[in-house]
Amino acid sequence: AQSVTQPDIHITVSEGASLELRCNYSYGATPYLFWYVQSPGQGLQLLLKYFSGDTLVQGIKGFEAEFKRSQSSFNLRKPSVHWSDAAEYFCAVGPRGGTYKYIFGTGTRLKVLA
Amino acid sequence: NAGVTQTPKFRVLKTGQSMTLLCAQDMNHEYMYWYRQDPGMGLRLIHYSVGEGTTAKGEVPDGYNVSRLKKQNFLLGLESAAPSQTSVYFCASGGAVVNEQFFGPGTRLTVL
């Protein structure tokens, strides 16, 4: 079955520290991969996406993610976290092969300490 | 260009009441989706539409109905609300299967 796993429910980092949020997926083929961010009381905003090609993708707000086929992972990283990055982050796989459904992970809530 | 808008933003219902949530997009997108978001469960797909006049069931369709009479609008109906339908509902649209989804701001629904 297709699935997305975000093993960390909560993560706390200090401002200025580096960040890595984990995402693992189960899919029949190489999926389209996305990271979204949700600030409190807001909808989801796309941070970055991977379709094919270079396995290291750059996104908005200084985020990047690396697709590793061998590990079925698409981890999100940021070298230096800002207090405004506190939010909930969702990994998602997008549809291939005639399906139209996206599958979202359960999210990782990031807290940033001043 | 408003993107994706949702009406209403908040609503409180009593068990058994009905209501309709409206989603509108002005990006001429073919694909529209309704999700519900519950703590610890991420986003779960309720129904989706791949074009005007078409709808399909998602992961958790029971208790909900949808209609897509106009390309820009996607309505989610609750015929007889239940407390289990207390949630935050998000609408999203997409211009093509492989593109990102654009999300609305959400509707917070409480069923007493």
Side-chain angles (χ1 to χ4, degrees):
Chain A
Q2 300 163 357
S3 65
V4 176
T5 302
Q6 293 181 247
D8 303 306
I9 299 174
H10 295 99
I11 283 186
T12 300
V13 300
S14 298
E15 190 170 21
S18 62
L19 173 69
E20 183 170 27
L21 303 182
R22 296 183 290 166
C23 173
N24 293 96
Y25 65 88
S26 173
Y27 204 82
T30 300
Y32 300 124
L33 295 160
F34 305 83
W35 273 100
Y36 287 85
V37 60
Q38 184 182 31
S39 298
Q42 304 295 316
L44 278 70
Q45 180 186 20
L46 181 72
L47 282 176
L48 48 78
K49 57 189 176 185
Y50 171 78
F51 291 161
S52 63
D54 193 347
T55 56
L56 184 64
V57 295
Q58 302 296 322
I60 62 171
K61 304 184 181 185
F63 285 92
E64 66 179 26
E66 185 172 12
F67 168 60
K68 292 186 177 180
R69 185 191 307 273
S70 62
Q71 298 177 17
S72 297
S73 69
F74 189 55
N75 294 349
L76 182 71
R77 300 194 296 248
K78 187 170 185 178
S80 178
V81 170
H82 188 263
W83 64 266
S84 60
D85 293 325
E88 190 156 20
Y89 293 79
F90 292 92
C91 181
V93 299
R96 277 186 186 257
T99 178
Y100 302 96
K101 301 177 186 177
Y102 292 75
I103 302 171
F104 285 81
T106 52
T108 297
R109 186 170 296 277
L110 174 65
K111 182 178 180 179
V112 180
L113 301 177
Chain B
N1 189 339
V4 180
T5 58
Q6 293 182 233
T7 309
K9 289 184 170 53
F10 303 92
R11 187 73 185 268
V12 178
L13 291 179
K14 295 181 180 178
T15 296
Q17 287 185 317
S18 63
M19 78 163 294
T20 299
L21 283 66
L22 171 64
C23 176
Q25 53 95 4
D26 60 3
M27 296 173 282
N28 201 35
H29 286 166
E30 290 293 335
Y31 305 94
M32 296 188 75
Y33 306 80
W34 274 109
Y35 294 92
R36 60 178 290 171
Q37 183 179 34
D38 302 291
M41 304 193 74
L43 275 76
R44 293 183 291 170
L45 182 64
I46 304 171
H47 286 281
Y48 64 100
S49 168
V50 301
E52 182 178 319
T54 71
T55 63
K57 294 181 180 180
E59 181 185 358
V60 288
D62 294 341
Y64 305 95
N65 56 75
V66 289
S67 65
R68 183 104 181 263
L69 299 180
K70 294 182 178 181
K71 185 177 184 179
Q72 64 267 34
N73 296 336
F74 195 30
L75 279 64
L76 178 70
L78 287 73
E79 290 187 348
S80 180
S84 60
Q85 294 177 305
T86 293
S87 188
V88 181
Y89 292 86
F90 286 99
C91 176
S93 71
V97 173
V98 302
N99 280 356
E100 68 177 282
Q101 292 186 312
F102 293 82
F103 283 83
T107 295
R108 183 173 296 275
L109 175 66
T110 301
V111 182
L112 302 176

